């Protein structure tokens, strides 16, 4: 409302109040103006805290436990640090966090996402219980063990799907092209979390090894070593290390991987505490690798991924291709509080091999390359307003235009306005995919555009960053 | 990115990690899985808290004071209540909050807003220092006392403009139509905060009193009584009470106002603590007012405004015209913590005159009326992309279309797509306002559209809620 977007000079508080309206009794209103600042001793601070705690515990309008207040207090101390990486974890969260850094979990083995408010299978893992049971990409999970999961968060649904190895979970599935819901029972198993994936790319008579690291968990360094040895035994001429989308993990995992790649006598990373005391983690690799190495990074490469990228550039003199990394330059340590709960607290700053602080800045690749625009689009969905068509405009249309352009159907514009040329692009797409050629994006067409986009994004040949790295590597091999 | 919008069933933590990437040492990683839940006594909880506090204080990667940690802890306890009205205020905030509920402040007396990143005068108060010094609506403040205020928040700028009565602040002004900046010195004065404004509307030979209450502060009830007596001495035939945009204030202010309006023996409001103990605030008015009373509310009418609205409907049997109110049904009390800081804590639930809890729901007027759409538009601004014109689309265009339609220039559509008819509407607007008739919305045209819209919003005849209330009142007078 126009008239509400104003502030009274000198009476700001009224509009602070507008956001937090309040009915006040005025008993205490006149005592305190002009009171001098008081500096409290540590003891007085604790007293003040305990006073606040007991007032809230005894007088707040709703019941509240002391446990809840103390946990809130610990979280509040951490929040005041303004450090997103320093967190308190109660028992339950702590246990889950450990599992997430472990090397396996028990469940069905599928990627899921929340799409249009429904828990949707993105893809079952290869040879997982989910795949064996016949779950397919885009299946929507409507019920778990006969109970509707409407209203559950993705996280809550995932917790229900998970469970002990050998037990069975019944999933009620909605599948495009099927008129009725149907049930699929899935026997849960042990699902390995593969944090290292190896591949060989043959190009121009050369064998290029590709090691993709998806996170740095407990056994990542061991798996990396195994896979690297296997690639070397196959006689690779170069090695690509892909840490795109890798959010980090354990410091010693990246240290151990660094020792396999960075020439000895060079620091892989340095860490520094509040007092400025430094520890250097040195590489002890005997000989420089006889083949070129190139890293791959993007904006989601964080933390341990950044350590590795910087070490490749500064410690190894290698190239890194892709995008500027996330910029997380601190190291956390987990500290037990005795009752199963934990503090994860930032205790150190880490510096790159050459001693640079990348916090908030990230590591700049030696060769900067973005992916094509359609790699960055949000999932396409058709809302309650029905099909997208001529002369309409919305973010979803912009999305669809970017996707269509990406997969080879020129929509004329990519700003969200559905013009005649967009209609022609949609019609052409529909013809090519055996859909009714209406020129309108209904649910079926949207789902197909989405599917074709995902297919296209997953093809190595469309991965501009990877292709740039391969080209650079071939140049280095031929030098 | 498409490939990032996925969750691994059972490995949720990885994506939790994606938002909070972390480098971990693994020293503590394997000890705790399966640890039994521990229930701590109050003493053990305090010990755990003190342990966390000392670890953070001594080991966190940056320096942090105990004072900061304790304040964070208190704020954290309040946050866990999930109650936006329970807040901790340190000394400085507490002082400002008291000022905001006082009856005056020292400054220049002008409404300001942040528009396009610049502090802009919305309007000087009548007969204020700002008006006397020649400040005009839409003046942009570039410097204060010769110092650029670029980068300051509105709040910070306001604090610099404020100051003791008798002192002078020099404002460097940018004004549309002037090529150069110029300076205006303003001598600060005492600016009364008028929380009650009276007006008489003459219609069909009847005098209708209008009392607008902008908040319920210390002297609001006294001012209301004075103005009501004056209106009555003028012989009004009916009374409109406008609490639109009123965020609330002191409970006793609304109680005292209720006693002037609601027939005696009826509760104005009831408050209830956690134990269910109730206090009723009864009206003691001798006689029902001899004229009809109608209230006016909107979505920003909160707290004390809602008490008054509900009391009018339920306690007085009067009509209320406008929109469903905000829905804040708790009462806070301010509790001193001894060092100038305070807890503002929700201690009571309030119930309406008839005993209804409106928290989260608000009070429904007896006659529901919204304002015309253009009353709700955001300020119009032209960004770096330059003038808005044919075939473009954006939120700003939607905004401009809604405004043009509101002030009588039909733009054909109001969805943000600039079509031929929108161009014609812009051209007509430009001709009528002596602007270059380009059919494009450049900065000058945008500013004029905005100005005409504000003018229109401020005219009583366009205030659909007020006009509906007046019509209803005339019917009641003539019954």
């Amino acid at each position: 409302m126009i008239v509400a977007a104003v502030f009274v000079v000198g009476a700001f508080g009224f509009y602070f109040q507008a956001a937090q309206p309040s009915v006040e009794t005025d008993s205490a209103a006149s005592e305190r103006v002009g009171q001098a600042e008081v500096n409290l001793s540590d003891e007085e601070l604790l007293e003040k805290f305990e006073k606040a705690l007991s007032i809230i515990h005894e007088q707040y309008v709703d019941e509240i436990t002391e446990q809840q207040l103390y946990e809130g207090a610990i979280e509040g101390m951490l929040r005041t640090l303004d450090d997103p990486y320093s967190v308190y974890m109660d028992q339950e969260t702590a246990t889950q966090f450990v599992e997430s850094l472990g090397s396996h979990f028990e469940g069905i083995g599928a990627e899921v996402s929340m799409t249009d408010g429904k828990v949707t299978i993105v893809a079952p893992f290869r040879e997982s219980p989910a795949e064996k049971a016949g779950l397919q990409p885009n299946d929507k999970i409507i019920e778990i063990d006969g109970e509707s999961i409407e209203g559950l968060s993705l996280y809550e649904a995932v917790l229900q799907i998970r469970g002990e190895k050998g037990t069975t979970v019944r999933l009620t599935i909605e599948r495009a092209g099927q008129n009725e819901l149907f049930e699929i029972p899935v026997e849960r198993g042990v699902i390995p979390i593969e944090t290292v994936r190896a591949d060989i790319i043959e190009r121009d008579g050369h064998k290029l090894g590709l090691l993709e690291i998806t996170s740095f968990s407990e056994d990542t360094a061991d798996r990396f070593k195994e896979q690297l040895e296997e690639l070397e035994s196959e006689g690779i001429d170069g090695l690509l290390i892909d840490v795109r989308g890798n959010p980090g993990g354990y410091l010693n995992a990246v240290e151990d991987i660094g020792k396999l790649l960075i020439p000895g006598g060079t620091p892989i990373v340095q860490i520094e505490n509040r007092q400025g005391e430094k520890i250097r983690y040195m590489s002890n690799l005997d000989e420089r690798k006889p083949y070129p190495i190139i890293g791959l990074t993007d904006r989601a490469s964080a933390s341990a991924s950044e350590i590795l990228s910087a070490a490749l550039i500064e410690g190894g003199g290698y190239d890194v291709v892709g995008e500027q990394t996330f910029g997380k330059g601190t190291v956390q340590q987990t500290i037990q509080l005795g009752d199963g709960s934990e503090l994860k607290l930032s205790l150190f700053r880490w510096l790159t091999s050459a001693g640079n602080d990348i916090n908030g800045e990230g590591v700049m690749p030696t060769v900067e390359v973005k992916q094509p625009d359609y790699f960055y689009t949000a999932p396409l969905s058709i809302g309650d307003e029905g099909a997208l068509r001529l002369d309409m405009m919305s973010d979803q249309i912009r999305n669809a235009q970017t996707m269509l352009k990406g997969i080879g159907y020129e929509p004329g514009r990519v700003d969200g306005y559905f013009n005649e040329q967009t209609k022609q692009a949609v019609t052409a797409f529909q013809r090519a995919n055996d859909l009714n050629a209406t020129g309108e994006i209904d649910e079926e067409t949207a789902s197909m555009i989405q599917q074709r986009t995902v297919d296209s994004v997953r093809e190595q040949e469309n991965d501009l960053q990877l292709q740039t790295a391969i080209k650079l590597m071939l140049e280095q091999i031929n030098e």
Side-chain angles (χ1 to χ4, degrees), chain A:
Chain A
M1 206 186 314
I2 283 183
V3 290
V6 297
F7 287 80
V8 178
V9 172
F12 184 83
F14 274 104
Y15 291 85
F16 166 69
Q17 233 189 318
Q20 303 194 337
S22 106
V23 172
E24 294 265 333
T25 61
D26 65 354
S27 61
S30 44
E31 297 167 21
R32 73 218 102 148
V33 181
Q35 213 159 6
E37 178 135 2
V38 184
N39 275 315
L40 303 183
S41 68
D42 294 356
E43 264 172 46
E44 287 167 328
L45 284 168
L46 180 59
E47 263 172 47
K48 171 175 157 179
F49 168 79
E50 291 192 84
K51 179 176 175 183
L53 181 114
S54 81
I55 290 170
I56 299 170
H57 185 235
E58 287 157 25
Q59 299 189 46
Y60 181 62
V61 65
D62 290 319
E63 291 270 359
I64 185 115
T65 65
E66 293 220 324
Q67 165 130 10
Q68 195 180 340
L69 288 175
Y70 275 109
E71 299 216 331
I74 294 174
E75 282 167 1
M77 286 195 289
L78 292 167
R79 199 172 285 111
T80 194
L81 303 177
D82 204 16
D83 171 22
Y85 312 115
S86 289
V87 293
Y88 169 76
M89 291 186 282
D90 60 21
Q91 278 199 340
E92 196 189 332
T93 313
T95 308
Q96 284 168 6
F97 183 73
V98 173
E99 284 179 25
S100 80
L101 282 175
S103 59
H104 63 270
F105 64 95
E106 302 193 353
I108 69 168
E111 285 180 329
V112 293
S113 72
M114 185 64 86
T115 306
D116 299 335
K118 288 180 180 165
V119 176
T120 306
I121 303 281
V122 175
F125 294 174
R126 222 181 313 160
E127 297 183 11
S128 66
E131 190 184 68
K132 285 177 196 157
L135 284 169
Q136 295 182 7
N138 290 324
D139 281 354
K140 300 202 185 296
I141 300 173
I142 307 301
E143 295 174 356
I144 299 174
D145 289 332
E147 301 251 326
S148 165
I149 59 167
E150 205 179 317
L152 292 195
S153 71
L154 183 58
Y155 179 59
E156 291 165 331
V158 163
L159 284 181
Q160 292 200 10
I161 297 169
R162 264 163 96 154
E164 240 175 278
K165 183 192 163 187
T167 60
T168 295
V169 60
R170 292 177 294 118
L171 302 179
T172 305
I173 297 297
E174 176 188 307
R175 183 175 290 173
Q178 306 263 14
N179 287 327
E180 307 214 333
L181 301 182
F182 58 96
E183 202 175 89
I184 296 187
V186 191
E187 189 181 321
R188 298 181 181 103
V190 173
I191 312 297
I193 301 176
E194 289 181 18
T195 56
V196 184
R197 280 184 283 215
D199 199 2
I200 290 184
I201 298 167
E202 311 222 6
R203 191 72 63 90
D204 298 355
H206 295 291
K207 281 187 178 172
L208 312 182
L210 171 62
L211 285 173
E212 186 187 347
I213 311 173
T214 57
S215 75
F216 293 86
S217 62
E218 275 175 33
D219 68 343
T220 301
D222 290 344
R223 299 281 296 140
F224 186 92
K225 186 156 185 276
E226 280 166 36
Q227 307 250 24
L228 179 60
E229 283 166 1
E230 203 168 310
L231 288 177
E232 288 181 341
S233 74
E234 301 253 356
I236 52 168
D237 304 307
L239 177 63
L240 296 157
I241 299 171
D242 186 353
V243 292
R244 290 178 296 174
N246 179 330
Y250 290 123
L251 183 60
N252 65 338
V254 68
E255 181 196 347
D256 290 347
I257 290 173
K259 285 178 180 168
L260 299 170
L261 303 170
I262 307 300
T266 320
I268 295 162
V269 63
Q270 318 183 28
I271 68 171
E272 183 183 49
N273 68 6
R274 189 202 293 184
Q275 283 75 37
E277 293 159 353
K278 281 185 198 170
I279 304 172
R280 290 182 175 196
Y281 293 83
M282 305 296 287
S283 180
N284 55 4
L285 181 68
D286 289 340
E287 272 178 62
R288 191 181 172 88
K289 289 291 181 191
Y291 45 77
I293 299 176
I294 293 179
L296 278 158
T297 58
D298 65 11
R299 296 172 299 183
S301 301
S303 195
S305 296
E306 297 175 281
I307 292 177
L308 185 58
S309 308
L312 286 173
I313 298 172
E314 297 174 358
Y318 294 113
D319 275 302
V320 168
V321 173
E323 292 159 280
Q324 190 167 3
T325 59
F326 184 84
K328 183 193 170 234
T330 52
V331 182
Q332 287 67 46
Q333 189 148 5
T334 299
I335 299 151
Q336 307 287 326
L337 292 178
D339 61 339
S341 66
E342 306 176 344
L343 283 186
K344 188 157 78 78
L345 193 65
S346 298
L347 298 189
F348 307 97
R349 215 172 290 291
W350 66 260
L351 306 175
T352 63
S353 177
N356 297 313
D357 182 359
I358 62 94
N359 202 31
E361 305 205 357
V363 175
M364 187 58 78
T366 57
V367 180
E368 214 177 341
V369 186
K370 287 190 70 172
Q371 299 287 34
D373 285 345
Y374 74 105
F375 273 58
Y376 303 95
T377 51
L380 187 60
S381 68
I382 304 300
D384 293 337
E385 309 89 54
L388 309 174
R389 56 181 167 274
L390 196 63
D391 199 38
M392 289 172 73
M393 49 177 228
S394 68
D395 288 347
Q396 286 299 337
I397 294 173
R398 187 173 54 217
N399 233 338
Q401 287 171 328
T402 306
M403 290 183 179
L404 285 167
K405 190 183 170 89
I407 57 177
Y409 299 87
E410 179 52 51
R413 52 200 297 165
V414 291
D415 61 356
Y417 178 65
F418 200 128
N419 68 359
E420 186 55 42
Q421 206 176 337
T422 301
K423 185 179 171 182
Q424 287 165 17
V426 171
T427 309
F429 175 84
Q430 288 171 324
R431 291 221 174 90
N433 288 279
D434 291 331
L435 296 168
N436 226 337
T438 58
E440 297 185 2
I441 304 177
D442 56 12
E443 254 182 81
E444 200 181 16
T445 302
S447 162
M448 187 63 85
I449 293 174
Q450 166 87 25
Q451 186 56 50
R452 291 285 172 260
T453 303
V454 171
D455 293 347
S456 181
V457 163
R458 286 184 177 170
E459 280 190 34
Q460 271 190 353
E461 64 186 66
N462 296 325
D463 182 342
L464 197 56
Q465 291 166 344
L466 178 64
Q467 294 306 324
T468 304
I470 291 173
K471 203 173 146 214
L472 179 61
M473 177 157 284
L474 291 173
E475 285 169 19
Q476 292 177 359
I477 292 171
N478 293 325
E479 258 169 19

